[in-house]
Amino acid sequence: MKRSALDGSPQTNFIYLLPGLLLYTAFVFGPIVAALGLSLTSWDGLTMPRWVGLGNYADLFSDSRFYIALRNNAELMIFYCVLPLVLGITLAACVWNLKQREQLALRTFLFLPYIMPTAVLGIIWAWLYNPAFGPFNQFLRAIGLGRFALPWLGDFNFVLPAVGIVATWYFFGFCMVIFLTGIQRIDPSLFDAAKVDGASARKTFFWITLPLLLPEIRVVLLLTVIASIKSFDLIFTMTRGGPANATLVPNIYMYQLGFELNRFGAAAAIAIVGALLTFAINYAIHRLVGSRSKGMA
Amino acid sequence: MGRSSNIPAALFLRIVLWLLAFVTITPFLLLLLTSIKSKADVLKGAFALPAYPHFENYLDAWNAGHFNIYFWNSIVVVIPVVAVSVFLGLLTGFAFAYLSFPLRRTLFAILTLGMMVPAEAFIIPLYYEMRYFGLINTYAALIVPQIAMSIPFSTIFLASAMQQLPEEVLEAAVLDGAGRFYILRKIVIPLMIPAMSTLALFLFIWTWNEFLIPFILVNDDAYRTLPLGMLFFQGRYTVNTPVLTAGAVIVIFPLILTYLVFQRRFIAGLTAGATK
């Protein structure tokens, strides 16, 4: 059956598909499959890989550092996902009925971090947090809170929130923008009806806005959860996983095992676990947060 | 949230919003301010104004800090990545939008896999593949994998835009006896200009900001792009904060400019893609 007036024989159709597909297979899909195979071997990058089956995975799940990395990643999700979601939705509810120009100006400022390279943001924030001459501590001292001027990135207890806040700062404007378009999609007569019925702003928000924003909530959750699992640049440039593993996450651990210790099989196993985790969470969010029509497939 | 009739509360809310906006961009303002200070000015405090602007920091970053090389490398990488990705996205997108071929669903699933699996997951095999081809420390190492990584998004983005084109126009062209390449070139592409430019904008920002690919596949300073250059520059210049911040401004200035010019297009594309 023809798909459209433009359809032809499969052989000629493949001409359109082939260049992109070949390139993709050679440099993305092939390496993904290879990573899967590599994770079943022990390999130092020099000698022949040695088959170890699921040995790397077994090692990983009896490795306390890996559990530390997973726990750190779970804690970082508060800053990558929960805070930007809550902040974004609150801000969108506050901003959406401001005048068009003011809304645009606020959106421009709040969204700005999202277009930046996270690696460079990490370097900038490492400077802002610098205990001796960083602006952050200078500000604390200036307003009389000098005793809170801590070495943020060097303190075992504070480093995770300090890094996490940067992720929140990076994502919350993006979340707000997504929710803003979500609110504009909602039929305005619903809000009018609520007003006529004398519903308070709070009630309108929880009973009308919030439920109707479920598709956007799902998108924001998906994107931020995936971003938190693949977090590398920001943490690498700020702390490299330190101090004392306080900000170690799976991808940093993968980098250490692979490119510093030449244990490529074990590193690949972490990468595969990360990818599986992404799929699982993706699936869970699709199931739990009201599913809608998907794109083409 | 109906329009608030409570004027002081509404005013208070707006003050809070603007304060938040100001706090959000403060890191960038501090960056700009510090980049025009002398080393002596920096010691007077992060918020103190310099006696006069020291633009020579930018010259130092540009020449001594090698930002001229990094900037050039970023340009050399970003142009072919955007151009080729959009072109290949048009071809594969055309196939997924209009054509039938075996294993259609499987191929689509394989493509979406590439959007979900982060580069971190396959960087090790990719590194050895590039080493095998002798491409470590070349522009090809920065360009080719980046294009390959852009293909899934380009394909899906352009295919769904093509599906929204009016079918009658294409049917009419076929009835007139036009060939498919001709129709793609003369009818589809002109109608796709808005979608293509939105896509180009996304690809530009992603490629400009890419860290992992150049970090792993290149270790020669002559091939480093801006974010990588920044990292190694930090290692060398960490005591010279004004020059370091000048370097950061050089990295982010093209992004801010692009964002301000194409803001509406960027956000429209973002939200269209996100709600799909």
Side-chain angles (χ1 to χ4, degrees):
Chain A
M1 199 190 84
K2 280 190 151 197
R3 280 190 69 87
S4 75
L6 295 168
D7 206 352
S9 68
Q11 293 94 308
T12 54
N13 288 348
F14 260 112
I15 296 170
Y16 291 87
L17 208 54
L18 225 47
L21 223 51
L22 278 180
L23 208 59
Y24 170 76
T25 310
F27 297 102
V28 177
F29 187 62
I32 291 176
V33 176
L36 195 61
L38 189 57
S39 75
L40 304 172
T41 68
S42 170
W43 191 39
D44 59 8
L46 298 168
T47 53
M48 281 296 284
R50 192 166 47 82
W51 179 264
V52 293
L54 293 174
N56 287 322
Y57 294 92
D59 287 351
L60 221 47
F61 285 101
S62 55
D63 177 357
S64 61
R65 285 195 76 200
F66 185 60
Y67 284 105
I68 292 174
L70 284 178
R71 202 194 56 215
N72 287 339
N73 210 324
E75 284 178 27
L76 276 174
M77 279 185 193
I78 298 169
F79 297 96
Y80 269 83
C81 318
V82 180
L83 286 179
L85 182 94
V86 173
L87 256 174
I89 215 162
T90 314
L91 284 170
C94 294
V95 165
W96 82 277
N97 57 10
L98 291 178
K99 276 198 295 286
Q100 203 62 40
R101 289 185 66 161
E102 190 175 0
Q103 193 183 327
L104 183 75
L106 282 168
R107 193 186 72 182
T108 306
F109 287 140
L110 298 175
F111 189 79
L112 203 58
Y114 188 73
I115 58 161
M116 301 292 170
T118 41
V120 173
L121 293 182
I123 296 169
I124 294 172
W125 277 86
W127 162 64
L128 293 174
Y129 277 138
N130 187 293
F133 56 83
F136 191 65
N137 280 357
Q138 285 187 22
F139 174 73
L140 288 178
R141 288 190 196 102
I143 59 168
L145 294 173
R147 65 208 152 94
F148 294 113
L150 300 163
W152 298 101
L153 298 183
D155 187 298
F156 185 79
N157 291 312
F158 289 105
V159 65
L160 193 89
V163 171
I165 285 294
V166 181
T168 307
W169 170 76
Y170 178 75
F171 274 117
F172 82 96
F174 165 75
C175 296
M176 183 193 83
V177 167
I178 300 281
F179 289 128
L180 260 180
T181 35
I183 293 179
Q184 274 146 6
R185 177 179 53 79
I186 297 172
D187 184 358
S189 65
L190 283 173
F191 293 118
D192 295 338
K195 211 171 171 186
V196 171
D197 289 345
S200 67
R202 178 197 296 264
K203 269 202 168 136
T204 315
F205 177 74
F206 281 106
W207 290 97
I208 297 178
T209 318
L210 206 56
L212 287 172
L213 283 180
L214 267 184
E216 279 77 18
I217 293 178
R218 194 186 65 178
V219 167
V220 160
L221 269 180
L222 273 178
L223 292 174
T224 54
V225 167
I226 291 176
S228 81
I229 295 176
K230 61 179 282 193
S231 58
F232 178 79
D233 310 2
L234 193 68
I235 297 169
F236 188 82
T237 50
M238 284 179 89
T239 65
R240 308 208 171 206
N245 299 333
T247 51
L248 185 78
V249 290
N251 273 337
I252 299 272
Y253 195 27
M254 183 210 77
Y255 175 80
Q256 293 174 347
L257 282 179
F259 291 95
E260 286 173 4
L261 301 172
N262 290 331
R263 292 178 53 200
F264 289 105
I270 295 188
I272 297 298
V273 172
L276 292 178
L277 214 58
T278 310
F279 291 144
I281 292 179
N282 220 322
Y283 180 75
I285 293 174
H286 268 292
R287 289 302 298 267
L288 293 176
V289 187
S291 175
R292 278 204 163 191
S293 66
K294 277 183 69 182
M296 34 162 263
Chain B
M1 316 233 93
R3 226 165 266 275
S4 179
S5 51
N6 193 338
I7 301 295
L11 190 67
F12 176 73
L13 182 71
R14 284 172 64 193
I15 292 173
V16 171
L17 284 173
W18 277 100
L19 216 60
L20 186 68
F22 178 72
V23 170
T24 302
I25 60 161
T26 298
F28 302 119
L29 298 177
L30 279 172
L31 209 59
L32 267 180
L33 178 66
T34 311
S35 72
I36 51 166
K37 286 181 177 180
S38 67
K39 272 179 163 177
D41 292 330
V42 170
L43 295 177
K44 289 182 201 143
F47 304 94
L49 296 173
Y52 62 93
H54 294 261
F55 292 115
E56 68 270 17
N57 293 331
Y58 283 87
L59 276 179
D60 279 356
W62 188 255
N63 294 319
H66 301 179
F67 272 75
N68 52 354
I69 300 172
Y70 307 144
F71 200 91
W72 171 247
N73 289 343
S74 278
I75 300 267
V76 167
V77 169
V78 87
I79 290 174
V81 168
V82 171
V84 177
S85 304
V86 172
F87 174 71
L88 292 178
L90 274 171
L91 290 183
T92 37
F94 186 78
F96 275 104
Y98 299 125
L99 310 181
S100 60
F101 43 86
L103 299 176
R104 199 187 144 78
R105 292 189 73 102
T106 316
L107 290 176
F108 188 80
I110 287 176
L111 268 187
T112 43
L113 187 77
M115 283 207 325
M116 290 221 282
V117 176
E120 283 83 356
F122 57 88
I123 191 70
I124 293 167
L126 184 63
Y127 170 79
Y128 277 92
E129 184 182 5
M130 296 316 259
R131 223 169 80 158
Y132 178 79
F133 289 131
L135 293 176
I136 299 294
N137 286 327
T138 61
Y139 285 124
L142 301 174
I143 295 169
V144 179
Q146 194 77 42
I147 295 172
M149 282 161 54
S150 307
I151 283 175
F153 182 80
S154 306
T155 301
I156 292 168
F157 188 84
L158 293 179
S160 63
M162 281 185 212
Q163 282 177 327
Q164 281 153 25
L165 295 184
E167 184 90 353
E168 311 85 66
V169 179
L170 305 174
E171 278 164 11
V174 173
L175 285 177
D176 284 346
R180 286 194 294 182
F181 271 115
Y182 184 85
I183 293 175
L184 179 63
R185 240 181 41 234
K186 296 284 176 179
I187 298 171
V188 177
I189 290 182
L191 290 170
M192 294 292 292
I193 297 286
M196 282 161 63
S197 39
T198 306
L199 175 65
L201 200 60
F202 281 114
L203 295 174
F204 165 74
I205 290 178
W206 289 336
T207 309
W208 193 266
N209 292 353
E210 177 64 37
F211 179 73
L212 191 75
I213 294 285
F215 180 54
I216 302 288
L217 300 185
V218 156
N219 52 44
D220 181 345
D221 202 49
Y223 292 101
R224 284 193 182 122
T225 51
L226 282 169
L228 260 294
M230 185 80 206
L231 179 70
F232 286 90
F233 181 73
Q234 178 202 28
R236 280 177 296 163
Y237 277 82
T238 190
V239 280
N240 196 340
T241 313
V243 180
L244 179 74
T245 48
V249 174
I250 294 176
V251 183
I252 65 179
F253 181 71
L255 290 166
I256 294 191
L257 202 67
T258 314
Y259 169 62
L260 290 181
V261 174
F262 297 106
Q263 206 203 139
R264 282 170 191 279
R265 162 145 298 172
F266 184 75
I267 294 210
L270 191 77
T271 46
T275 40
K276 232 166 232 139

